[in-house]
Amino acid sequence: MDEQLNILGVSDEVFQHFPQASNFMDLVDYGSIKKVEKFMKSNVGQTKIEINMLTKHQPITLFDVYIQWDSEKKLNVFCIEKQEFVHQVQSFVTKLERQLNNENLTIAEKQDELEHSLKRVQQLLMQQDNLSNISKLVSHIADELKKPLTSIRGFLQLLKPHLSSIGKEHYANIALDEINQANNLIYQYLNTTKPATPNKTQSNLQKMITEVVQLTNAESKKIHCEVKYVKEHILPAVNVDVKQMKQVFLNILRNGMEAIQNSKNRNNGQILIRTDLTDDAISISFEDNGIGMTQVTIANLFTPFFTMKEKGTGIGLAVSLHIINMHGGTIEVKSEAESGSQFTIILPIDM
């Protein structure tokens, strides 16, 4: 959009959700107009606002709207629907209210239950708002980046014969390698931030873990880290998405290796993997002798984009938890600073 909020161009996705409009204000609910007019100015430091907008499918829908001004005084706007999330929270609160009214609890017990439930709502807010909304935004940007990269790659391939004829082919090769690397990073990011609904099949968890250990064998040897898998029980076949489950195992295993590299045990790393079986669940634990974590870090560990790594993205563990949750399971963490960490995945047998 320009400074007067006239729409200069839109993505194909826009036509599926919004009616045609020449100005952004035509899509804004009357009650949000003044809010938007104040917010969408180049001298305002904010980049996100919640507003009600008019869509094709329902009269008023709540959106997270992110903005960014560019150097040409043009405004880029990304709109991410929040209505589904609002319904989710409303449903949870209604259920809680009904439960408290029906149960014979003392005032103190009700207060404890409310405090516990508030923490669950806060966790829901954090995970849904950050992982769903922000990752959708960044994924959209990554998707858009693929288009110019594909064009540049095509032009470089056309120029390559000419550069070869003047002895400069290596410039084209370097540029193509860089573009291929960028494309690979975008592909990995999109796959990581948008885990699909699990494609579950009857699978052998112990075989998966063994394959993941073998896959990281070269990495672990290079950093003098011993990865050992101890099979405590013969596990029954479970209904899981093999690719997603391996993604989780790899992420936790590699995080353990990095934790060891930053600890006093960097030349004597050990990661012990155990699987255990109860009447109704399977547990898979990864225990390392790395640098460990404080309780503050553990509390924020699964928050999207939270990271203690210099070059980390803060996506891996948030997505790993999302995948395990989609399989009906949980991830538990035990750790102390300078004393290593233990991640335990608990999966129900009946999935």
Side-chain angles (χ1 to χ4, degrees), residues 61-78:
T61 306
L62 183 63
F63 280 85
D64 271 340
V65 176
Y66 296 81
I67 68 168
Q68 182 178 8
W69 288 92
D70 65 22
S71 56
E72 299 177 4
K73 292 188 177 181
K74 291 179 182 176
L75 180 62
N76 301 300
V77 180
F78 301 87

PDB file of all heavy atoms in Angstrom, residues 61-78:
ATOM      1  N   THR A  61     -14.105 -10.472  11.402  1.00  0.00           N
ATOM      2  CA  THR A  61     -13.132 -11.482  11.801  1.00  0.00           C
ATOM      3  C   THR A  61     -11.934 -10.789  12.431  1.00  0.00           C
ATOM      4  O   THR A  61     -11.447  -9.781  11.912  1.00  0.00           O
ATOM      5  CB  THR A  61     -12.664 -12.307  10.589  1.00  0.00           C
ATOM      6  OG1 THR A  61     -13.808 -12.833   9.919  1.00  0.00           O
ATOM      7  CG2 THR A  61     -11.776 -13.457  11.023  1.00  0.00           C
ATOM      8  N   LEU A  62     -11.457 -11.332  13.561  1.00  0.00           N
ATOM      9  CA  LEU A  62     -10.306 -10.750  14.257  1.00  0.00           C
ATOM     10  C   LEU A  62      -9.011 -11.202  13.595  1.00  0.00           C
ATOM     11  O   LEU A  62      -8.807 -12.389  13.339  1.00  0.00           O
ATOM     12  CB  LEU A  62     -10.318 -11.171  15.723  1.00  0.00           C
ATOM     13  CG  LEU A  62      -9.214 -10.590  16.617  1.00  0.00           C
ATOM     14  CD1 LEU A  62      -9.337  -9.073  16.704  1.00  0.00           C
ATOM     15  CD2 LEU A  62      -9.279 -11.202  18.012  1.00  0.00           C
ATOM     16  N   PHE A  63      -8.122 -10.235  13.311  1.00  0.00           N
ATOM     17  CA  PHE A  63      -6.844 -10.520  12.666  1.00  0.00           C
ATOM     18  C   PHE A  63      -5.696  -9.918  13.460  1.00  0.00           C
ATOM     19  O   PHE A  63      -5.836  -8.848  14.078  1.00  0.00           O
ATOM     20  CB  PHE A  63      -6.797  -9.928  11.249  1.00  0.00           C
ATOM     21  CG  PHE A  63      -7.494 -10.745  10.206  1.00  0.00           C
ATOM     22  CD1 PHE A  63      -8.863 -10.620  10.002  1.00  0.00           C
ATOM     23  CD2 PHE A  63      -6.797 -11.630   9.408  1.00  0.00           C
ATOM     24  CE1 PHE A  63      -9.518 -11.360   9.043  1.00  0.00           C
ATOM     25  CE2 PHE A  63      -7.443 -12.381   8.438  1.00  0.00           C
ATOM     26  CZ  PHE A  63      -8.808 -12.245   8.259  1.00  0.00           C
ATOM     27  N   ASP A  64      -4.555 -10.598  13.441  1.00  0.00           N
ATOM     28  CA  ASP A  64      -3.271  -9.983  13.782  1.00  0.00           C
ATOM     29  C   ASP A  64      -2.746  -9.359  12.503  1.00  0.00           C
ATOM     30  O   ASP A  64      -2.588 -10.053  11.486  1.00  0.00           O
ATOM     31  CB  ASP A  64      -2.269 -11.040  14.271  1.00  0.00           C
ATOM     32  CG  ASP A  64      -2.342 -11.258  15.765  1.00  0.00           C
ATOM     33  OD1 ASP A  64      -2.858 -10.372  16.466  1.00  0.00           O
ATOM     34  OD2 ASP A  64      -1.891 -12.316  16.229  1.00  0.00           O
ATOM     35  N   VAL A  65      -2.465  -8.058  12.528  1.00  0.00           N
ATOM     36  CA  VAL A  65      -1.972  -7.364  11.333  1.00  0.00           C
ATOM     37  C   VAL A  65      -0.554  -6.872  11.615  1.00  0.00           C
ATOM     38  O   VAL A  65      -0.320  -6.118  12.558  1.00  0.00           O
ATOM     39  CB  VAL A  65      -2.888  -6.184  10.957  1.00  0.00           C
ATOM     40  CG1 VAL A  65      -2.303  -5.412   9.786  1.00  0.00           C
ATOM     41  CG2 VAL A  65      -4.284  -6.697  10.603  1.00  0.00           C
ATOM     42  N   TYR A  66       0.382  -7.337  10.800  1.00  0.00           N
ATOM     43  CA  TYR A  66       1.792  -6.939  10.907  1.00  0.00           C
ATOM     44  C   TYR A  66       2.111  -5.980   9.758  1.00  0.00           C
ATOM     45  O   TYR A  66       1.672  -6.194   8.622  1.00  0.00           O
ATOM     46  CB  TYR A  66       2.712  -8.154  10.803  1.00  0.00           C
ATOM     47  CG  TYR A  66       2.558  -9.165  11.912  1.00  0.00           C
ATOM     48  CD1 TYR A  66       1.526 -10.101  11.890  1.00  0.00           C
ATOM     49  CD2 TYR A  66       3.453  -9.197  12.980  1.00  0.00           C
ATOM     50  CE1 TYR A  66       1.377 -11.034  12.909  1.00  0.00           C
ATOM     51  CE2 TYR A  66       3.318 -10.126  14.001  1.00  0.00           C
ATOM     52  CZ  TYR A  66       2.279 -11.045  13.955  1.00  0.00           C
ATOM     53  OH  TYR A  66       2.151 -11.969  14.959  1.00  0.00           O
ATOM     54  N   ILE A  67       2.882  -4.923  10.059  1.00  0.00           N
ATOM     55  CA  ILE A  67       3.228  -3.969   9.000  1.00  0.00           C
ATOM     56  C   ILE A  67       4.731  -3.725   8.965  1.00  0.00           C
ATOM     57  O   ILE A  67       5.436  -3.896   9.968  1.00  0.00           O
ATOM     58  CB  ILE A  67       2.507  -2.616   9.171  1.00  0.00           C
ATOM     59  CG1 ILE A  67       3.023  -1.873  10.421  1.00  0.00           C
ATOM     60  CG2 ILE A  67       0.995  -2.798   9.234  1.00  0.00           C
ATOM     61  CD1 ILE A  67       2.574  -0.440  10.499  1.00  0.00           C
ATOM     62  N   GLN A  68       5.198  -3.311   7.785  1.00  0.00           N
ATOM     63  CA  GLN A  68       6.605  -2.922   7.632  1.00  0.00           C
ATOM     64  C   GLN A  68       6.697  -1.885   6.520  1.00  0.00           C
ATOM     65  O   GLN A  68       6.242  -2.114   5.402  1.00  0.00           O
ATOM     66  CB  GLN A  68       7.482  -4.131   7.289  1.00  0.00           C
ATOM     67  CG  GLN A  68       8.955  -3.765   7.168  1.00  0.00           C
ATOM     68  CD  GLN A  68       9.827  -4.969   6.873  1.00  0.00           C
ATOM     69  OE1 GLN A  68       9.321  -6.046   6.620  1.00  0.00           O
ATOM     70  NE2 GLN A  68      11.129  -4.781   6.901  1.00  0.00           N
ATOM     71  N   TRP A  69       7.270  -0.734   6.840  1.00  0.00           N
ATOM     72  CA  TRP A  69       7.490   0.318   5.837  1.00  0.00           C
ATOM     73  C   TRP A  69       8.799   0.037   5.121  1.00  0.00           C
ATOM     74  O   TRP A  69       9.794  -0.334   5.734  1.00  0.00           O
ATOM     75  CB  TRP A  69       7.555   1.693   6.502  1.00  0.00           C
ATOM     76  CG  TRP A  69       6.243   2.189   6.991  1.00  0.00           C
ATOM     77  CD1 TRP A  69       5.702   2.037   8.237  1.00  0.00           C
ATOM     78  CD2 TRP A  69       5.268   2.921   6.231  1.00  0.00           C
ATOM     79  NE1 TRP A  69       4.467   2.611   8.303  1.00  0.00           N
ATOM     80  CE2 TRP A  69       4.168   3.170   7.091  1.00  0.00           C
ATOM     81  CE3 TRP A  69       5.216   3.376   4.918  1.00  0.00           C
ATOM     82  CZ2 TRP A  69       3.035   3.864   6.667  1.00  0.00           C
ATOM     83  CZ3 TRP A  69       4.087   4.070   4.502  1.00  0.00           C
ATOM     84  CH2 TRP A  69       3.010   4.307   5.358  1.00  0.00           C
ATOM     85  N   ASP A  70       8.821   0.239   3.807  1.00  0.00           N
ATOM     86  CA  ASP A  70      10.089   0.107   3.082  1.00  0.00           C
ATOM     87  C   ASP A  70      10.596   1.492   2.689  1.00  0.00           C
ATOM     88  O   ASP A  70       9.964   2.515   2.967  1.00  0.00           O
ATOM     89  CB  ASP A  70       9.952  -0.821   1.861  1.00  0.00           C
ATOM     90  CG  ASP A  70       9.018  -0.282   0.786  1.00  0.00           C
ATOM     91  OD1 ASP A  70       8.794   0.939   0.748  1.00  0.00           O
ATOM     92  OD2 ASP A  70       8.525  -1.088  -0.016  1.00  0.00           O
ATOM     93  N   SER A  71      11.752   1.520   2.036  1.00  0.00           N
ATOM     94  CA  SER A  71      12.429   2.787   1.749  1.00  0.00           C
ATOM     95  C   SER A  71      11.682   3.650   0.744  1.00  0.00           C
ATOM     96  O   SER A  71      11.927   4.843   0.628  1.00  0.00           O
ATOM     97  CB  SER A  71      13.849   2.515   1.233  1.00  0.00           C
ATOM     98  OG  SER A  71      13.793   1.676   0.094  1.00  0.00           O
ATOM     99  N   GLU A  72      10.757   3.092  -0.024  1.00  0.00           N
ATOM    100  CA  GLU A  72      10.011   3.840  -1.035  1.00  0.00           C
ATOM    101  C   GLU A  72       8.676   4.339  -0.505  1.00  0.00           C
ATOM    102  O   GLU A  72       7.772   4.676  -1.261  1.00  0.00           O
ATOM    103  CB  GLU A  72       9.777   2.946  -2.263  1.00  0.00           C
ATOM    104  CG  GLU A  72      11.074   2.488  -2.922  1.00  0.00           C
ATOM    105  CD  GLU A  72      10.802   1.548  -4.091  1.00  0.00           C
ATOM    106  OE1 GLU A  72       9.620   1.332  -4.416  1.00  0.00           O
ATOM    107  OE2 GLU A  72      11.773   1.061  -4.679  1.00  0.00           O
ATOM    108  N   LYS A  73       8.540   4.406   0.809  1.00  0.00           N
ATOM    109  CA  LYS A  73       7.304   4.859   1.450  1.00  0.00           C
ATOM    110  C   LYS A  73       6.116   3.994   1.048  1.00  0.00           C
ATOM    111  O   LYS A  73       5.009   4.479   0.834  1.00  0.00           O
ATOM    112  CB  LYS A  73       7.029   6.340   1.138  1.00  0.00           C
ATOM    113  CG  LYS A  73       8.038   7.285   1.784  1.00  0.00           C
ATOM    114  CD  LYS A  73       7.628   8.723   1.625  1.00  0.00           C
ATOM    115  CE  LYS A  73       8.619   9.643   2.359  1.00  0.00           C
ATOM    116  NZ  LYS A  73       8.236  11.072   2.254  1.00  0.00           N
ATOM    117  N   LYS A  74       6.395   2.720   0.901  1.00  0.00           N
ATOM    118  CA  LYS A  74       5.345   1.745   0.662  1.00  0.00           C
ATOM    119  C   LYS A  74       5.202   0.878   1.913  1.00  0.00           C
ATOM    120  O   LYS A  74       6.169   0.607   2.610  1.00  0.00           O
ATOM    121  CB  LYS A  74       5.670   0.876  -0.560  1.00  0.00           C
ATOM    122  CG  LYS A  74       5.607   1.637  -1.871  1.00  0.00           C
ATOM    123  CD  LYS A  74       5.966   0.721  -3.039  1.00  0.00           C
ATOM    124  CE  LYS A  74       5.964   1.491  -4.348  1.00  0.00           C
ATOM    125  NZ  LYS A  74       6.395   0.640  -5.486  1.00  0.00           N
ATOM    126  N   LEU A  75       3.982   0.454   2.166  1.00  0.00           N
ATOM    127  CA  LEU A  75       3.673  -0.292   3.375  1.00  0.00           C
ATOM    128  C   LEU A  75       3.320  -1.731   3.035  1.00  0.00           C
ATOM    129  O   LEU A  75       2.406  -1.977   2.251  1.00  0.00           O
ATOM    130  CB  LEU A  75       2.495   0.379   4.086  1.00  0.00           C
ATOM    131  CG  LEU A  75       1.996  -0.238   5.391  1.00  0.00           C
ATOM    132  CD1 LEU A  75       3.088  -0.204   6.444  1.00  0.00           C
ATOM    133  CD2 LEU A  75       0.771   0.504   5.890  1.00  0.00           C
ATOM    134  N   ASN A  76       4.079  -2.661   3.585  1.00  0.00           N
ATOM    135  CA  ASN A  76       3.780  -4.089   3.409  1.00  0.00           C
ATOM    136  C   ASN A  76       2.932  -4.545   4.593  1.00  0.00           C
ATOM    137  O   ASN A  76       3.274  -4.294   5.741  1.00  0.00           O
ATOM    138  CB  ASN A  76       5.071  -4.903   3.348  1.00  0.00           C
ATOM    139  CG  ASN A  76       5.959  -4.457   2.201  1.00  0.00           C
ATOM    140  OD1 ASN A  76       5.553  -4.515   1.051  1.00  0.00           O
ATOM    141  ND2 ASN A  76       7.153  -3.987   2.511  1.00  0.00           N
ATOM    142  N   VAL A  77       1.837  -5.240   4.305  1.00  0.00           N
ATOM    143  CA  VAL A  77       0.894  -5.638   5.347  1.00  0.00           C
ATOM    144  C   VAL A  77       0.632  -7.133   5.266  1.00  0.00           C
ATOM    145  O   VAL A  77       0.394  -7.669   4.177  1.00  0.00           O
ATOM    146  CB  VAL A  77      -0.446  -4.878   5.191  1.00  0.00           C
ATOM    147  CG1 VAL A  77      -1.419  -5.301   6.293  1.00  0.00           C
ATOM    148  CG2 VAL A  77      -0.213  -3.387   5.254  1.00  0.00           C
ATOM    149  N   PHE A  78       0.688  -7.804   6.417  1.00  0.00           N
ATOM    150  CA  PHE A  78       0.384  -9.236   6.506  1.00  0.00           C
ATOM    151  C   PHE A  78      -0.749  -9.418   7.512  1.00  0.00           C
ATOM    152  O   PHE A  78      -0.652  -8.963   8.648  1.00  0.00           O
ATOM    153  CB  PHE A  78       1.618 -10.019   6.969  1.00  0.00           C
ATOM    154  CG  PHE A  78       2.805  -9.861   6.077  1.00  0.00           C
ATOM    155  CD1 PHE A  78       3.696  -8.814   6.261  1.00  0.00           C
ATOM    156  CD2 PHE A  78       3.035 -10.749   5.042  1.00  0.00           C
ATOM    157  CE1 PHE A  78       4.791  -8.650   5.434  1.00  0.00           C
ATOM    158  CE2 PHE A  78       4.122 -10.596   4.213  1.00  0.00           C
ATOM    159  CZ  PHE A  78       5.004  -9.547   4.406  1.00  0.00           C
TER     160      PHE A  78
END
